[in-house]
Amino acid sequence: MSGWGTPSRTVTLGRVQPQSPALRTIYCNHREANFAHRYKGNSISTTKYNVFTFLPKGLYEQFRRVANLYFLMVSILSATPYSPVHPITNMVPLSLVLLFSLIKEAFEDWQRFQNDMTINNSLVDVLQAQGWESLQWKKLQVGDIIRVKQDGFFPADLLLLASTNVDGICYIETANLDGETNLKIRKALERTWDYVTPEKACEFKGEVQCEQPNNSLYTFTGNLVVDNQTMPLSPNQILLRGCSLKNTDYIVGTVIFTGHETKVMMNSMNVPSKRSTLERKLDKLILALFSTLFSMCLLGAIGSGIFIDRKYYYLGLSQSVEDQFNPSKRFLVIILTMLTLLTLYSTIIPISLYVSIETIKFIQSSQFINKDLNMYHAESNTPASARTSNLNEELGQVEYIFSDKTGTLTRNLMEFFKCSIGGEMYGTGMTEIEMGVAERKGIKVQEAKTSTNSLREKGFNFDDVRLMQGAWRHEPNHDACKEYFRCLAICHTVLPEGEETPEKIRYQAASPDEAALVLAAKNFGFFFYRRTPTMIYVRESHVEKMGKTQDVSYEILNVLEFNSTRKRQSVVCRYPDGRLVLYCKGADTVIYERLGTGNDDLNKVTRVHLEQFGSAGLRTLCLAYRDLAPDLYESWNEKFITAKSSLRDREKRLDEVAELIEKELILIGATAIEDKLQEGVPNCIQTLSRAGIKIWVLTGDKIETAINIAYACNLLNNEMKQFIISSETDAIREVEERGDQTEIARFMKEEVKKQLKQFLDEAPQYFCSPSGPKLALVIDGKCLMYALEPSLRIMLLTLSLNCSSVVCCRVSPLQKAQVTSLVKKGARKITLSIGDGANDVSMIQAAHIGIGISGLEGMQAVMASDFAIAQFRFLEDLLLVHGRWSYIRLCKVVMYFFYKNLAFTLTQFWFTFGTGFSGQRFYDDWFQSLYNVIFTALPVVIVGLFDQENCRNMGLFCSVSISSLLLLRISFKFNEQGFRW
């Protein structure tokens, strides 16, 4: 978390949990001092039960179901002397159902237990008496100093003290944490670099003051106190449990958080529980059946009270010792007969219904969805995965789809495609979006010819002879080109890997965008080949003279990191000649706000280029720089170090300090990166639209980019009537220039309200006419912020529900979740959210069904989802094949269950009229009890798994009917000797 009581702005796998305002104090290498704080041990348990709680908790879970609770009541009634059936015949079926469910629960929990035992008993080297001793993970305690070797996993959340690499750095892989396979760099504080050997580590007696345990994966606030010297700690010194050590012989660290207080374990909690609509309706149907049962029993009981009369003296009822048949106690006869008939008609509610449906759903998900070759992605070797079997039939009822764009509709394989440098546009290619726009206008597009000297590399798809192979030196703006390429090569957090040659080096980047920009710098002759925590090494070509190459080292003084609030990244570096420069790259809106005066012509031309790039569907960033005077930098750096050392609101203070230096920037140019559409996306969207499903795209891109992507995806077309609500209007810009935030908010809210009202008045004339055009709504994030306010929310919902397509641009992760919840609650229809990144987690959890794309942005979305697929186009099979079949089959199973049980029970009910409402059995005890559990169990499951519309399984239904008739005949055999009173 960023502070005490302030919610984290980073995206986590679950919901950020509140933490105690108190600090945690840890005494390194001092178990006795830490013992007083009673920190949790490092043993973990992911099981739902233990030996003592399995039976009570397991039974509680089973009896939360209405049907099981009902049959428990019936079993208790059957043990009374007024029951017409033996109590065992009711208890055995209930016991079988409960036993089946409990065995399933126990098996799943035993697997969790075995996995926990394997992890808890893993070995790690712990410092003991001036030497390393192997101990089990579960015996680790807070404050212990441990050693983790290369390729080993971190057993707890650790503070990195020392590493065998130079400058105390190490490389870690976080695939088990967030699915990202790229390596990340961590660096120990310089004060602790010496504690590599056990002899030196024994001398370490530091004290860590840090935040309380929380589940924010990418933040950490704390200080290390050694010999009365206080040093700030950041996430760069923290090694999280579950990550592994790479490219480093070993590291030495001290344990900060253990067991269930580690960040990865705290993220495994609070997953929202989702129940399908069918399951909720099933509970209501069972209650309705119970009402029917009660009515039948009440009718029979009243009939019994009337039938028991003194005129039937020949029956000898007045001499009966049983109160149930005593004519002088009619009210008591009605009550007791009511209890008798409750047990007699109990089969009207199917005892095996839940078990059968669970079995069907489990097989549907594990055998049909997970093993469907039509949803298998060969390139990444990724099959579809049903992470829960509760929502299979829900897939067949989806009416609204909320989709992310990048990595979901597009491939998330970024390629450097075009650029703008010093007011000049470079790049001759044509994007897929431009081709789609041209085709829509009827313009024939010829494939562009690439130049003979153009280079092709994954991540670099740029073609312009004016910049390649040093030709940029002959450009009028060659100084701007040089700054542009250096900014690309220096302003990033990319890690190089492999041999230091342009052909064999590999770049590990936090995002595909960053890797594409560094690749572009390499292809332009500015080859970034090595980095340390304080230096970046670049091999520059053609700078001083054509054909000449030189290695230049840049000292990295400060890194102002990118986050969703800042939307920019900056690096302060020192050239070999002492020049101090701040390089900054970020979103155009953010960079333009921080540009200095002058260069208005360049700024206007570059803005035009940005609009052209956006119209072509390209992702854009602006590059800028600022020369810093040494005294200005020194005074600012003191504030930066102070903010970095603060324990409270550290992120907020760092952002405030960054604002002091990220101003008076000089614009260099802009980058344009292409992210191509995934294969089959337009056809999939068209098919889903024909099926009556409305698709919404929620993206952080500019409005022009989002609209053109929507055209390329068949989400929008020229026949549609588009309603556009944008904050990029002259009137709004004019108000924003005045800078009065209160006036801006008031004016924008009025503008949004006016546009919503205008479109609501205009919409009926289009959708009232059968031949009228379909409607589409496009709205950006600023306007959406006001449209989601309570006073305007209903207007937005009404308008959007009448639109076939909705595109929301420049939206934040929170707004994605808010829009999803608005439609989920307002429309009362089944919603589905699909995304691939951490910023989509809240949207995925807000919808009825969450789909995660196994993409390049890690596994956060998949871990929060209900189903996981590798490509958007697989949604067509998942919804229209598996979802539809699951829904139809399960509905038939429910109707089949109720039909066979009503037929079975109504026969008994009709028989009661011929027995004087005395509650005599029509069927044998065991046949009545095992009718659902054994005799008719398999046919229902078969229908739920294999029923299809083209064959209707007539043979199956015939066999069921014949078997039922045979079973009825057997039951008559039991009663041929007459009725027993």
Side-chain angles (χ1 to χ4, degrees), residues 724-736 743-759 779-780 782-784 786-787 792 795 799:
I724 299 178
I725 303 176
S726 172
S727 60
E728 298 295 323
T729 64
D730 294 335
I732 293 176
R733 282 200 191 102
E734 185 180 335
V735 175
E736 286 179 334
E743 175 65 16
I744 292 171
R746 187 198 62 78
F747 184 80
M748 284 195 64
K749 184 174 181 180
E750 287 300 319
E751 282 292 301
V752 171
K753 182 177 181 180
K754 184 170 70 176
Q755 290 189 56
L756 283 173
K757 191 174 185 308
Q758 176 190 335
F759 294 149
I779 185 170
D780 68 8
K782 283 185 180 179
C783 296
L784 187 61
Y786 297 102
L792 301 182
M795 296 173 68
L799 177 62

Side-chain angles (χ1 to χ4, degrees), residues 325 472 509 563 928:
F325 304 111
W472 58 270
N563 62 42
Q928 177 174 331

